[in-house]
Amino acid sequence: RRYGPVTRANHWLTACSLILLLISGLALFHPSLFFLTGLFGGGQTTRWIHPWIGVVLFVSFFVLFVRLVRLNLPRKEDATWIAHAKDVVSGNEEALPELGKYNAGQKFVFWAMSGLIVVLIASGIIMWEQYFNGIVSIPVRRIATIVHSVAAVLIICTFILHVYAAIWTRGTISAMTRGTVTGGWAWRHHRKWYRELARRKRDGADPAPAPPAE
């Protein structure tokens, strides 16, 4: 067992919010993409709902952040994993160090998402004239718009990287659909984490229920 039902629901709420923000944001970003507003009931509705979806994303990811931050702190083996990037790409797992629940690439996605979501919510609030009109000057709002757009492009790239890595590493997606992975997958990709589960089972602890941080 890799993820419990609460973590999986939290993850998919975050993912769905991000996808909806991506579509609605692109619809407002350039006239050539305005047709996408039809998915939300028109331009005015899209403009109204986009920031509220952003609030949902922020709250949802904050809960996910609290649950997973401890497991995504940098470890000594992360530097070794990065140094053996060629072995990661070639699939030569035996040349890599034994890893905990997350590797350096997964941790990068986690922290990139964390930082970019904070930038997006902060700049988005400055741009949200309906409720925050007048809190900053127009020049500051224009800067916030540029910052918001750049952060949006970066988080889209990070999201694509995350999806690609999940598909590329076979057996990963089942962790967030069924909550489990095979023993072979765990041994190959996250051996230290797998040993910890085995140790807990040997010591009489039940590894099936995910601990709160997971």
Side-chain angles (χ1 to χ4, degrees), residues 59-87:
V59 174
S60 177
F61 189 84
F62 177 78
V63 175
L64 199 63
F65 178 89
V66 171
R67 297 174 69 86
L68 301 179
V69 62
R70 179 177 61 84
L71 297 170
N72 280 279
L73 294 175
R75 305 292 182 192
K76 183 170 59 176
E77 60 265 23
D78 294 332
T80 306
W81 188 90
I82 294 172
H84 288 78
K86 290 183 178 180
D87 295 309

Side-chain angles (χ1 to χ4, degrees), residues 146-194:
I146 296 174
V147 171
H148 194 82
S149 300
V150 172
V153 171
L154 292 176
I155 204 169
I156 289 172
C157 293
T158 304
F159 177 72
I160 292 173
L161 174 64
H162 176 58
V163 173
Y164 176 78
I167 296 173
W168 181 58
T169 307
R170 292 170 54 185
T172 300
I173 295 179
S174 67
M176 275 300 174
T177 54
R178 298 192 298 269
T180 60
V181 293
T182 65
W185 184 97
W187 177 258
R188 180 179 181 184
H189 300 295
H190 298 276
R191 195 166 298 181
K192 182 185 288 188
W193 170 68
Y194 189 61

Side-chain angles (χ1 to χ4, degrees), residues 116-149:
L116 290 170
I117 287 175
V118 170
V119 172
L120 286 167
I121 193 69
S123 57
I125 288 175
I126 293 175
M127 297 163 57
W128 202 352
E129 295 185 48
Q130 183 177 1
Y131 297 104
F132 301 100
N133 187 30
I135 64 170
V136 296
S137 63
I138 292 178
V140 172
R141 186 176 296 123
R142 289 172 176 167
I143 294 173
T145 302
I146 296 174
V147 171
H148 194 82
S149 300

Side-chain angles (χ1 to χ4, degrees), residues 21 24 28 37 40 42-55 128 130-131:
L21 283 169
S24 58
L28 299 171
T37 60
F40 301 91
Q44 291 299 320
T45 305
T46 303
R47 184 181 181 186
W48 172 80
I49 201 172
H50 179 80
W52 282 112
I53 300 174
V55 172
W128 202 352
Q130 183 177 1
Y131 297 104

Side-chain angles (χ1 to χ4, degrees), residues 192-205 207:
K192 182 185 288 188
W193 170 68
Y194 189 61
R195 290 184 190 277
E196 174 64 17
L197 293 183
R199 184 192 61 78
R200 287 165 52 194
K201 186 175 183 179
R202 184 182 65 248
D203 293 345

